[in-house]
């Protein structure tokens, strides 16, 4: 039992579990990923496009989602900076999760950047939304708490790292879940707290 728990902890926490495998096993995993890409082309396409949900949210925050001035002034991180990082994260995510993992089968700079940006933005999104707690309605606060589901979905993706099509489905859910919840929260703030100062 303890060895099983340690395996799951290692799988979740290891930055690149595949790199720990011997060369023969790595070749088997590369073949498995190639076959999965060919066997589930629609799911792979959706998985690939889902990387850019971060970018879409970032663009929306910079162009259309507007919040009152007092929300901007009470922000844990500069909203424009956060939005810009989200735009970048979409391309970094595609670089790491699609190009390096499923096209060239080699981790590199994209994976390194993704392992820094993704958890950083996840933690910042959760803390920043909860930091607004006193300004939120009860419903909005409940939506903010839903951001905590993001890390849970991410843990599930690590446990299904090389199980297909589960990998595509769960990782797509990871890409989409937090931007979707954040969009709902920001839209609610715009409606419930009218203001002209944009994010």
């Amino acid at each position: 039992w303890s060895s099983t728990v340690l395996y799951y902890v290692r799988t979740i926490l290891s930055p690149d579990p595949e790199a720990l495998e011997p060369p023969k096993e790595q070749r088997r995993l590369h073949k498995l990923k190639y076959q999965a890409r060919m066997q589930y082309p629609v799911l792979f396409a959706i998985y690939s496009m889902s990387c850019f949900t971060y970018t879409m949210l970032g663009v929306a925050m910079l162009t259309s989602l507007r919040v009152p001035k007092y929300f901007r002034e009470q922000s844990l991180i500069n909203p424009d900076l956060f939005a810009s990082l989200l735009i970048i994260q979409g391309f970094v995510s595609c670089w790491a999760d699609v190009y390096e993992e499923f096209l060239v089968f080699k981790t590199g700079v994209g994976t390194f950047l993704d392992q820094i940006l993704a958890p950083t933005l996840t933690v910042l999104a959760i803390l920043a939304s909860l930091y607004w707690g006193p300004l939120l309605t009860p419903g909005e606060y409940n939506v903010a708490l839903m951001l905590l589901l993001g890390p849970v979905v991410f843990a599930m993706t690590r446990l299904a790292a090389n199980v297909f099509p589960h990998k595509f489905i769960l990782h797509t859910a990871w890409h989409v879940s937090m931007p979707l919840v954040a969009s709902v929260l920001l839209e609610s703030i715009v409606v419930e707290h009218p203001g002209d100062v944009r994010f």
Side-chain angles (χ1 to χ4, degrees), residues 29-178:
L29 291 173
H30 296 167
K31 182 178 180 181
L32 178 67
K33 290 179 179 181
Y34 174 80
Q35 291 173 337
R37 199 182 81 204
M38 296 295 104
Q39 187 176 357
Y40 306 104
V42 175
L43 285 177
F44 179 71
I46 295 172
Y47 162 78
S48 301
M49 291 185 292
S50 72
C51 298
F52 294 101
T53 54
Y54 304 109
T55 300
M56 289 187 291
L57 176 60
V59 170
M61 289 174 65
L62 288 173
T63 59
S64 61
L65 289 179
R66 290 170 168 77
V67 295
K69 184 177 180 180
Y70 54 90
F71 271 85
R72 188 186 62 170
E73 292 175 344
Q74 295 296 319
S75 294
L76 190 63
I77 179 175
N78 181 282
D80 289 339
L81 172 61
F82 189 78
S84 300
L85 290 174
L86 282 174
I87 293 173
I88 294 170
Q89 173 59 26
F91 293 94
V92 170
S93 179
C94 188
W95 184 3
D97 295 339
V98 179
Y99 177 72
E100 291 188 349
E101 184 169 5
F102 284 95
L103 297 180
V104 298
F105 308 112
K106 183 179 181 181
T107 58
V109 176
T111 301
F112 173 74
L113 293 175
D114 189 47
Q115 290 170 353
I116 294 174
L117 268 179
T120 300
L121 292 177
T122 297
V123 171
L124 281 175
I126 294 171
L127 293 180
S129 62
L130 296 179
Y131 188 76
W132 276 342
L135 304 177
L136 301 176
T137 66
E140 290 166 350
Y141 191 76
N142 289 335
V143 172
L145 288 175
M146 289 177 64
L147 289 170
L148 294 170
L149 294 175
V152 175
V153 176
F154 176 72
M156 293 172 64
T157 68
R158 297 308 292 265
L159 296 177
N162 295 304
V163 180
F164 298 96
H166 303 77
K167 159 79 173 186
F168 293 144
I169 296 170
L170 289 172
H171 212 103
T172 298
W174 158 244
H175 286 159
V176 172
S177 58
M178 294 193 69

Side-chain angles (χ1 to χ4, degrees), residues 25 52 157 165 181 192:
E25 178 63 12
F52 294 101
T157 68
V181 172
E192 297 293 334

